[in-house]
Amino acid sequence: MHSILRRALVCSLCLLPAFALKIPFSSRTSPQTRGLSPARVTRQSSSSHVLSVGNTQNSFYYTNITLGSQTISVMLDTGSSDLWVTGSVLNAQDTGESLTLSYAVGNAAGDVYTAPFSMAGYSVDNQAFLLVTNTSTFSTNIHSEGYDGLIGLGPNSGSAIYKKLSGDAGNNAINRIFEQNPSSTDDYITLMLSRLHDAGSNITGQFTISELVPGYENVASMPQLAVEMVYKVTDQDQHWQVLTDKNVGVIGPDGQPISVSSIVPKAPSGQLVAVLDSGFTLPQVPRSMSDAIYGRVQGAEWSTSQQAWLVPCGQLINLTFTFGGISYPVHPLDVSSSDFGVTFSNGNPACLGTFQPISSAFSLLGEYDMILGMAFLRNAYTLINYGNLVKGGSNSNKPYIQMLPLTDQVAAINDFIQTRTNGQNLINSPQYTLLPSSQEQHSPETAEEKKQQYEEEILSRWPYILVGCLTFVFLLIGCCVWRCCKRRRMRKMAAQQKLGDNPPDTNRSGPYSQLHDSQSTATLVMQPMRASTLEFKEEYGKDAFSRSP
């Protein structure tokens, strides 16, 4: 039994700490249930730019890279931006820098090295990476789970190594690959995830760079979903995040939209900001949304110890997300999972509700509403175009995401019946009928969580708070200047009024008394100092008004 943790966003990538969210239950794994053996992922395409992706119990997805002439299996993570590996790497050069990345599974701490790197047919020299020599803080044996490191596929701005090293030496691996061909506009990756224990699925895990998986080229015709950009000062928290459709972004089990208000201040009304993160096993959604998905299921139980909904395994739950006018149904085998060996309080077997309520302020700056992890991503072939987020590239286009739906609802229902109810169609049985909305259960919210959400509401409005504070300061300064000017003007007016009420006394001496000289100013004006201009000419020998030669 190996503990499965839903990996949190890298804390060191944020100005404020990220909140690690832990899955407090176990996943049953064995070599036979893994999609592919560790460090021996084989290609499924003749193209050098297409890699097959291994699958450990629908909880970890990994592929092979070459680092320092060694083949290493790494987890694919679109939610972070750094490369780290465990053990030792041949031909690696120490940069003299150290770093610690914090995840829910533990701390990835070590020294920053560089080594030759290649992936999907692309090679770069001196790729910076974190060499983690001590994995004792990890709560799971990552090697037994199928990988010995992690490659972050997020924007370069989120890389802690990039910030640690000077210049472009710390650019992340994907950025290094794209910047080698700055004139190209094919700065994209694609990701397709397999589903274990689904006999009706023919989807195989594949990862590509600047190339489409054969047979799925239609992804290029899907709507280009603009990547929602965070504020410039917090671009280290930039993720692959997009907007759901207005008012119909999430369709619940009863076929009706689930109405949830966004915590993102600049999100349009009726829309939510969703992060696509292949590093999260279980999607994280607002609590009210999770309650709407599972709270009306007969026999559903909120597990306080596991902080998750438990439901009967025979309960088929419909769930659909809509982006860009396209519906993305979630396979019912992904809405609840039988992979974790959980039980109801009475000891009977249960299935885990995979769309978990967010139990802490995971987006402290209010930049996204939910994280759609593996349970969602298995239902779409995803293309991520980095656009102008490539540092050192010349692509001026804005980044975007395209997704091709992979789940056929009718076929998915048949898969569910075969897998969960041994071929018996019990979907319309009274025991699996949804309860009325008035009887919906709600998961409890702790006092600490309420406090964190309150803090989140305040911090998420930081741009408005900052503008408000600056406005207040400017108004205060303006008011002070105005009062000072007004007071000075009033003093001047008072002095002038006093002077008008008390005219100068001509009979007294003082600065305002007239001269009593026999020749006043008026007299001097009337009497010329010399008799005529002629006298001046005779005295000085020239005309007083003539021009100088």
Side-chain angles (χ1 to χ4, degrees), residues 62-121:
Y62 52 89
T63 194
N64 285 346
I65 64 170
T66 300
L67 190 62
S69 73
Q70 294 174 243
T71 299
I72 301 174
S73 184
V74 292
M75 180 178 173
L76 294 167
D77 183 14
T78 60
S80 65
S81 302
D82 286 297
L83 170 64
W84 60 266
V85 298
T86 61
S88 60
V89 175
L90 299 176
N91 305 317
Q93 301 296 319
D94 194 345
T95 65
E97 298 288 350
S98 299
L99 192 63
T100 298
L101 304 177
S102 298
Y103 297 85
V105 296
N107 294 326
D111 296 330
V112 178
Y113 284 78
T114 63
F117 167 87
S118 63
M119 181 183 191

Side-chain angles (χ1 to χ4, degrees), residues 181-505:
N181 188 12
S183 61
S184 174
T185 58
D186 294 333
D187 298 336
Y188 66 84
I189 62 172
T190 75
L191 182 64
M192 182 184 295
L193 304 181
S194 63
R195 181 184 302 106
L196 297 180
H197 316 304
D198 180 6
S201 175
N202 60 357
I203 300 296
T204 57
Q206 298 187 64
F207 172 82
T208 76
I209 299 177
S210 300
E211 189 169 322
L212 302 178
V213 173
Y216 296 90
E217 293 86 356
N218 284 344
V219 68
S221 65
M222 291 294 103
Q224 294 184 2
L225 307 174
V227 173
E228 287 297 297
M229 306 302 292
V230 301
Y231 294 102
K232 186 66 177 177
V233 295
T234 57
D235 63 354
Q236 58 211 357
D237 202 27
Q238 180 67 60
H239 295 92
W240 303 124
Q241 49 200 62
V242 293
L243 288 170
T244 61
D245 283 1
K246 184 178 179 62
N247 298 326
V248 292
V250 186
I251 308 299
D254 59 357
Q256 298 301 311
I258 299 177
S259 179
V260 177
S261 297
S262 175
I263 67 168
V264 182
K266 62 179 182 179
S269 176
Q271 295 180 272
L272 300 174
V273 178
V275 172
L276 304 180
D277 189 346
S278 64
F280 265 90
T281 300
L282 306 179
Q284 307 296 294
V285 298
R287 182 174 292 277
S288 60
M289 183 182 296
S290 181
D291 292 349
I293 296 171
Y294 304 107
R296 292 174 58 186
V297 172
Q298 294 186 58
E301 182 179 295
W302 172 257
S303 174
T304 303
S305 62
Q306 299 173 349
Q307 290 296 296
W309 281 105
L310 306 180
V311 296
C313 289
Q315 178 73 55
L316 186 146
I317 303 174
N318 292 310
L319 181 64
T320 299
F321 289 81
T322 58
F323 298 95
I326 304 297
S327 295
Y328 296 87
V330 179
H331 199 294
L333 293 175
D334 290 327
V335 183
S336 65
S337 174
S338 60
D339 296 330
F340 296 95
V342 294
T343 60
F344 289 114
S345 57
N346 61 9
N348 291 334
C351 278
L352 178 75
T354 54
F355 286 77
Q356 296 190 314
I358 296 166
S359 57
S360 63
F362 71 98
S363 177
L364 200 58
L365 297 179
E367 290 163 343
Y368 41 87
D369 297 294
M370 54 187 175
I371 304 174
L372 298 183
M374 303 173 195
F376 170 80
L377 292 175
R378 281 192 287 270
N379 298 275
Y381 175 40
T382 305
L383 182 153
I384 300 175
N385 191 302
Y386 288 64
N388 57 18
L389 292 183
V390 176
K391 190 175 185 300
S394 60
N395 190 344
S396 60
N397 297 325
K398 294 182 178 180
Y400 61 85
I401 293 172
Q402 293 174 292
M403 294 187 291
L404 179 68
L406 296 179
T407 299
D408 178 89
Q409 287 182 299
V410 175
I413 291 174
N414 291 330
D415 292 345
F416 182 87
I417 291 172
Q418 296 299 321
T419 302
R420 292 284 180 85
T421 59
N422 297 318
Q424 299 183 55
N425 188 348
L426 304 176
I427 295 174
N428 296 320
S429 300
Q431 69 190 85
Y432 294 127
T433 302
L434 292 176
L435 296 171
S437 56
S438 59
Q439 297 181 30
E440 177 184 319
Q441 297 185 70
H442 297 278
S443 56
E445 191 174 31
T446 65
E448 179 64 22
E449 184 177 352
K450 291 179 180 179
K451 176 184 176 182
Q452 291 173 342
Q453 288 181 345
Y454 177 72
E455 294 171 348
E456 178 185 52
E457 288 178 2
I458 296 176
L459 290 174
S460 66
R461 269 65 180 175
W462 70 265
Y464 303 98
I465 296 174
L466 178 61
V467 171
C469 291
L470 291 175
T471 302
F472 174 77
V473 170
F474 287 140
L475 288 176
L476 184 63
I477 293 174
C479 182
C480 292
V481 172
W482 177 77
R483 286 181 62 87
C484 290
C485 293
K486 183 178 179 182
R487 183 174 299 176
R488 184 178 299 175
R489 191 180 301 113
M490 292 179 66
R491 288 177 178 176
K492 185 176 181 180
M493 292 175 63
Q496 292 175 347
Q497 184 178 6
K498 184 177 180 181
L499 181 61
D501 293 341
N502 301 282
D505 186 356

